[in-house]
Amino acid sequence: MDRVLPVPLDLDHHKSPRWSKHETAPAGPQAGRGDLNTDGHGDLIGRNANGDLCLYLGNGAGGFIDGSACSVKIDSNRSGWLHVVRPGDWDGDGWTDLVAVEADGDLVYFTGNGSGGFLPDANDVIIDWDADDNPIRTTGWNQYNLVVAPGDWDGDGYPDLIARKSTGEIVLHRGNGFGGWADDAAPVRLGWGIWQGFDTVVAPGDVDGDGKADLLARKANGELTLFRGNGKAGFRSPGGVRYGVWQTGVNVRAANATCDASPSVANCPTVVDTLNPGDLILPICQKRGEYVGGNPYWVYGTTPRGKTGWVHGYNIDYTENQLPDVPNCARPAQTTYTVWTDGVIVTATNATCEGAPSTTNCTTVIDTLFTGSMFTPICQRTGQTVSGNPYWVYGISSNGQTGWMPAWWMDYPDNRLPNLALCANYNGSYVGTGWSTYSAGLFAVGDFNDDGRNDLMGVKSSGDLHVYYGTGNGTNLFSNGNGGTKIGTGWSGFNKVF
């Protein structure tokens, strides 16, 4: 078989890409993050104790082109990397890249060549440029005991990285799609506490079919938990909460292009079901449309009889207009807000502040905003009431600081910001147990059998490689969940498969 050989990596040769951290990436070929040679099929890389990197080219049917043999050795002597991930197209040229943490904690990336390998230079991930126009490199990543590449976690279209500290705190580093960081290199805190209890965290992409990247985490006892991303740099509530209606004869209206664009009685004329008190609807998403009873929100969801359609939020038995942690049916046009007065304080997060935001619990000032200053929310929750508004917003200021501020100061007419999830240290959704059998590795490379759904893979202590084929729905994650499908042997020789 003729094959373009990858270019050997050169970890000792660093270069600094010359672009601003605020630039965004151009369009490119955009190979999937699991596909290294752009043949449309997911591939694997294994690293052994000597640091050899071996590429296994997938055949698109859940196996490998070259069977159990390494398709090509990419490089060697890479045992010094503390972490290595495949984030997708990190630098915006359209090819799948590789990001690594060196032994000294420096973060570097290698540009993919689209034929199964990477260009030889290790590029520094740049934070900014100093007064003398010298690059400021990203360092200190040896503080993290785990790094995963979730794809686009914050909804801006560019790949990101998630890392965990020894304290159990997990943080998001937002990529700009051009090999650097979006807005500021300061991480966004995603969770704490419970994350210490996981021996493995896997970033499979979207596994529940809502279009948002998710995480899977395994405890040492083999219990697997799903953390559903909200597409806005946080998590949404686990499992999916069902809601009732408070009056009889509530119509559920069929979707159509006009209705989906602007839900209203006129645009959604076809009734597919009727709800009465006691009936529960499972929301899929919500969006603004025709006002009913002062409420502009419509909810798209599934009825107890399996019918899917639109219901006006006014009829749903909930105290506020917008349902909590139900994503927007389309990405909202406005994701950044201004403040309407001078001297608005942004305070650093801490466990007490996160539990109940208030001026007493959130005392460390990290930024001060003035009229017209921008603030990008991540999530919101109730806390101390300020001028009649109980909501506090956690987000990123125009100066790149991540922290809390009362929603009262946001230039928006309602107490609660639309289409923004509630902040919580979610415990996730239970998937199942028995996953400790994959003691030699649990990982994901996206869609491995070309069915359009993301899969999960694991290596047993015996070296057997198994794949679990994703279903794309949040109830039963895998079509072959009883033990998966064995697709290889001899994989225990690798200390990292990615």
Side-chain angles (χ1 to χ4, degrees):
M1 177 182 296
D2 293 332
R3 193 172 293 134
V4 178
L5 294 179
V7 179
L9 306 181
D10 179 8
L11 192 56
D12 299 320
H13 185 190
H14 289 237
K15 67 178 181 179
S16 298
R18 191 62 175 96
W19 46 67
S20 166
K21 63 174 183 170
H22 300 295
E23 288 186 88
T24 52
Q30 295 296 330
R33 69 186 182 113
D35 179 17
L36 287 176
N37 65 337
T38 60
D39 64 353
H41 309 314
D43 309 310
L44 295 184
I45 297 175
R47 183 186 67 177
N48 63 23
N50 296 326
D52 297 336
L53 299 183
C54 184
L55 172 65
Y56 288 79
L57 295 172
N59 61 12
F64 303 98
I65 290 176
D66 297 302
S68 61
C70 174
S71 296
V72 61
K73 180 179 174 181
I74 298 177
D75 208 5
S76 58
N77 299 318
R78 300 309 170 196
S79 58
W81 285 338
L82 301 180
H83 308 285
V84 56
V85 294
R86 288 157 54 186
D89 179 17
W90 183 251
D91 60 3
D93 66 353
W95 311 120
T96 300
D97 305 315
L98 183 151
V99 173
V101 179
E102 298 180 291
D104 60 0
D106 286 356
L107 188 70
V108 298
Y109 73 92
F110 296 90
T111 298
N113 62 11
S115 60
F118 304 90
L119 301 183
D121 291 323
N123 300 281
D124 298 318
V125 178
I126 301 303
I127 297 175
D128 207 341
W129 304 83
D130 65 18
D132 297 321
D133 206 32
N134 297 313
I136 303 172
R137 299 163 59 186
T138 300
T139 61
W141 277 59
N142 47 357
Q143 69 177 304
Y144 297 127
N145 59 24
L146 181 144
V147 177
V148 297
D152 176 21
W153 187 258
D154 60 359
D156 66 354
Y158 307 117
D160 308 308
L161 299 178
I162 291 175
R164 183 182 65 182
K165 299 179 180 180
S166 59
T167 59
E169 178 183 1
I170 62 164
V171 295
L172 169 70
H173 290 266
R174 303 170 59 236
N176 66 359
F178 234 146
W181 302 119
D183 302 326
D184 193 271
V188 176
R189 195 180 191 203
L190 295 181
W192 52 96
I194 62 170
W195 292 88
Q196 275 178 296
F198 299 116
D199 63 3
T200 298
V201 177
V202 181
D206 173 28
V207 294
D208 62 356
D210 67 352
K212 315 295 193 301
D214 306 308
L215 297 181
L216 290 166
R218 183 187 67 183
K219 296 180 180 178
N221 65 4
E223 185 176 299
L224 192 66
T225 302
L226 170 65
F227 291 86
R228 304 167 192 264
N230 64 9
K232 300 182 180 70
F235 297 103
R236 71 179 179 89
S237 59
V241 177
R242 289 173 168 80
Y243 293 87
V245 295
W246 57 268
Q247 64 178 173
T248 60
V250 175
N251 289 328
V252 180
R253 300 175 178 273
N256 63 64
T258 305
C259 178
D260 293 346
S262 181
S264 69
V265 173
N267 291 343
C268 315
T270 304
V271 175
V272 293
D273 203 351
T274 303
L275 301 178
N276 295 296
D279 289 336
L280 297 179
I281 186 169
L282 177 62
I284 297 171
C285 60
Q286 60 190 334
K287 74 172 300 180
R288 296 171 75 95
E290 179 184 23
Y291 276 79
V292 176
N295 187 343
Y297 284 96
W298 286 66
V299 177
Y300 183 67
T302 305
T303 74
R305 289 161 290 279
K307 302 294 184 179
T308 302
W310 290 94
V311 175
H312 200 282
Y314 173 73
N315 300 121
I316 291 180
D317 193 9
Y318 188 70
T319 55
E320 298 185 21
N321 286 352
Q322 184 188 6
L323 297 182
D325 298 312
V326 176
N328 189 25
C329 297
R331 188 179 175 195
Q334 184 176 7
T335 57
T336 298
Y337 296 82
T338 58
V339 299
W340 56 267
T341 190
D342 293 339
V344 176
I345 299 300
V346 179
T347 54
T349 193
N350 62 65
T352 305
C353 179
E354 287 161 353
S358 69
T359 53
T360 302
N361 294 339
C362 314
T363 56
T364 304
V365 177
I366 56 175
D367 204 354
T368 302
L369 304 181
F370 299 92
T371 303
S373 294
M374 307 298 287
F375 193 81
T376 303
I378 295 170
C379 59
Q380 61 192 330
R381 70 163 302 158
T382 54
Q384 177 187 13
T385 298
V386 177
S387 297
N389 190 340
Y391 280 96
W392 285 60
V393 180
Y394 180 63
I396 305 167
S397 74
S398 53
N399 298 317
Q401 301 300 314
T402 304
W404 292 90
M405 62 175 285
W408 164 252
W409 305 118
M410 309 283 288
D411 194 8
Y412 188 74
D414 293 337
N415 283 354
R416 185 178 174 189
L417 297 181
N419 307 311
L420 185 65
L422 297 181
C423 304
N425 187 26
Y426 295 130
N427 293 321
S429 302
Y430 175 80
V431 175
T433 191
W435 292 87
S436 57
T437 187
Y438 299 106
S439 57
L442 192 66
F443 54 94
V445 295
D447 176 16
F448 195 65
N449 64 337
D450 291 0
D451 66 352
R453 304 178 181 95
N454 292 318
D455 308 316
L456 182 64
M457 308 180 83
V459 178
K460 296 183 175 182
S461 59
S462 63
D464 291 348
L465 175 65
H466 287 239
V467 60
Y468 289 78
Y469 297 118
T471 62
N473 73 69
T475 304
N476 299 303
L477 295 185
F478 308 109
S479 61
N480 58 340
N482 187 20
T485 300
K486 180 179 174 181
I487 61 171
T489 60
W491 287 76
S492 57
F494 296 115
N495 57 27
K496 174 76 173 178
V497 182
F498 59 102

